[in-house]
Amino acid sequence: MFISQVFKYQHDFWRYIIGVVTVVAGIIVGQIPLVIALFAEKGYEVLSMTDSEMMTALDSNYFLFLMLLTYAVALLFLLFIVKKLHEQPLRALTTSREKIDWSRFWFAFGLVSIFILITTIGDYFTNPGDYVLNFELKPFLILLVIAVIFVPLQTSFEEYFFRAYLMQGIGALSRNRWLPLIITSVIFGGLHFFNPEVTKLGNIIMIHYIGTGFLLGIMTLMDEGIELALGFHAANNLLTALIVTADWTAFQTNSIFKDVSEPSVGWDVLIPVVIIYPVFLYIMGRKYKWSNWKERLMGKVHKPQLLNVSEEN
């Protein structure tokens, strides 16, 4: 089982506290190049700039690279602490299977990619006035290279930190599955509170972010691994960066199109969480024959009996 297998390794909760502090340190270290670049461009004016102003202070591709570099560095810090402090292999942080199942990653990646392409094309032809062509070959090719390399590192960091590291650590401490699901989903969504989308659309958009956290957490617990969550998250962020940008989003890129409509929130915030996300779970559940949903999402985490016997000896 994905959470209970952590008992095979160094799982004392104080190690997870050190791990979280180390990851935060990694994020800070990873931000240093971005801070240096902003100061070089704007000087001390940076101290009074809003997040949106910082995003436009540098060339968009340069800013995107430096922003994503933060997560790449944080991922290295996380993997280092898992290996050295917890003595846990990457495979056990990723899945309960004997080896990482990359076919699951690509299935989720393809499923989300198809959905995004269909809905974006449909919206473009339904509301053509909401879009302008933003495509420029050279900036787009640079964006493509940066996005293909660094967006999966960004999404992998978030999945390995929330759906793997914290999920296993909190699960080992609480000895149940529902508490790590709730905590990691709320924290994941809550950290998006500082995104420019929240400033533009209001706090109601947090339903979407927290709901996405629950979706990815449910995938992880039902499938006993984060391969599906890795693929889902990577496809969502990668295609978002490449296809459509807007002045009020966290990813302001040299994408193919630019959304110039005035954003508003309503049912479009609830529909993904209430309708589309359950459809994704249904499709994955049918394909991978998920069963016993209540136990997998709400049940207890049991320490493997083999470890108990060895400890008694």
Side-chain angles (χ1 to χ4, degrees), residues 109-120:
F109 188 95
L111 181 65
V112 175
S113 297
I114 291 171
F115 173 79
I116 291 176
L117 289 172
I118 291 175
T119 53
T120 302

Side-chain angles (χ1 to χ4, degrees), residues 3-9 11 171-172 175 301-304 307:
I3 293 179
S4 61
Q5 68 180 350
V6 79
F7 289 112
K8 300 176 184 178
Y9 311 104
H11 61 277
R175 299 296 180 93
V301 171
H302 300 284
K303 199 170 185 178
L307 287 183

Side-chain angles (χ1 to χ4, degrees), residues 129-299:
D130 290 348
Y131 297 88
V132 296
L133 187 64
N134 192 53
F135 180 77
E136 294 181 46
L137 181 59
K138 184 177 179 180
F140 178 79
L141 290 177
I142 296 173
L143 166 65
L144 181 63
V145 173
I146 293 172
V148 168
I149 295 174
F150 285 94
V151 167
L153 293 177
Q154 176 240 330
T155 56
S156 294
F157 163 71
E158 293 184 0
E159 292 311 309
Y160 272 111
F161 185 58
F162 289 103
R163 253 65 64 179
Y165 189 70
L166 292 183
M167 185 81 77
Q168 289 181 338
I170 298 171
L173 178 68
S174 65
R175 299 296 180 93
N176 63 56
R177 300 165 74 87
W178 60 267
L179 188 61
L181 173 61
I182 293 174
I183 292 178
T184 58
S185 300
V186 172
I187 295 176
F188 172 79
L191 290 178
H192 289 79
F193 181 76
F194 302 100
N195 281 18
E197 291 93 334
V198 179
T199 302
K200 185 70 175 180
L201 300 175
N203 293 341
I204 191 173
I205 194 66
M206 295 302 298
I207 295 174
H208 171 75
Y209 291 128
I210 295 175
T212 302
F214 273 100
L215 169 71
L216 295 167
I218 292 170
M219 283 182 195
T220 298
L221 291 178
M222 290 304 302
D223 202 51
E224 299 292 354
I226 67 169
E227 294 101 328
L228 291 173
L230 283 169
F232 186 102
H233 203 163
N236 180 76
N237 286 26
L238 181 60
L239 267 70
T240 299
L242 294 176
I243 297 177
V244 181
T245 190
D247 290 336
W248 45 270
T249 61
F251 274 2
Q252 296 184 28
T253 65
N254 291 293
S255 58
I256 298 174
F257 293 102
K258 185 174 184 178
D259 185 346
V260 295
S261 64
E262 183 61 29
S264 61
V265 293
W267 285 105
D268 52 336
V269 174
L270 296 176
I271 287 175
V273 176
V274 176
I275 299 177
I276 297 173
Y277 286 178
V279 170
F280 280 134
L281 291 174
Y282 175 78
I283 293 172
M284 293 176 179
R286 292 279 294 183
K287 178 173 177 58
Y288 296 110
K289 297 179 173 58
W290 293 346
S291 61
N292 201 8
W293 287 67
K294 182 178 179 180
E295 177 63 26
R296 291 197 181 194
L297 297 179
M298 309 293 290

Side-chain angles (χ1 to χ4, degrees), residues 75 90-91 94-95 97-110 152-153 155-156 160 223 226-232 234 287-288:
L75 179 60
L90 179 62
R91 192 275 310 163
T94 309
T95 185
R97 287 166 276 276
E98 293 184 1
K99 61 180 181 179
I100 299 173
D101 186 354
W102 290 108
S103 68
R104 278 172 152 82
F105 172 92
W106 289 114
F107 174 77
F109 188 95
L153 293 177
T155 56
S156 294
Y160 272 111
D223 202 51
I226 67 169
E227 294 101 328
L228 291 173
L230 283 169
F232 186 102
K287 178 173 177 58
Y288 296 110

Side-chain angles (χ1 to χ4, degrees), residues 49-92:
M49 292 172 64
T50 64
D51 290 343
S52 297
E53 290 171 337
M54 289 183 186
M55 289 181 188
T56 57
L58 303 172
D59 170 77
S60 63
N61 280 333
Y62 187 37
F63 181 88
L64 180 67
F65 164 71
L66 293 175
M67 181 183 71
L68 295 177
L69 182 63
T70 300
Y71 298 96
V73 173
L75 179 60
L76 290 177
F77 272 64
L78 173 60
L79 296 181
F80 174 81
I81 208 73
V82 168
K83 180 178 177 61
K84 297 299 182 180
L85 185 61
H86 296 275
E87 299 177 6
Q88 182 179 0
L90 179 62
R91 192 275 310 163

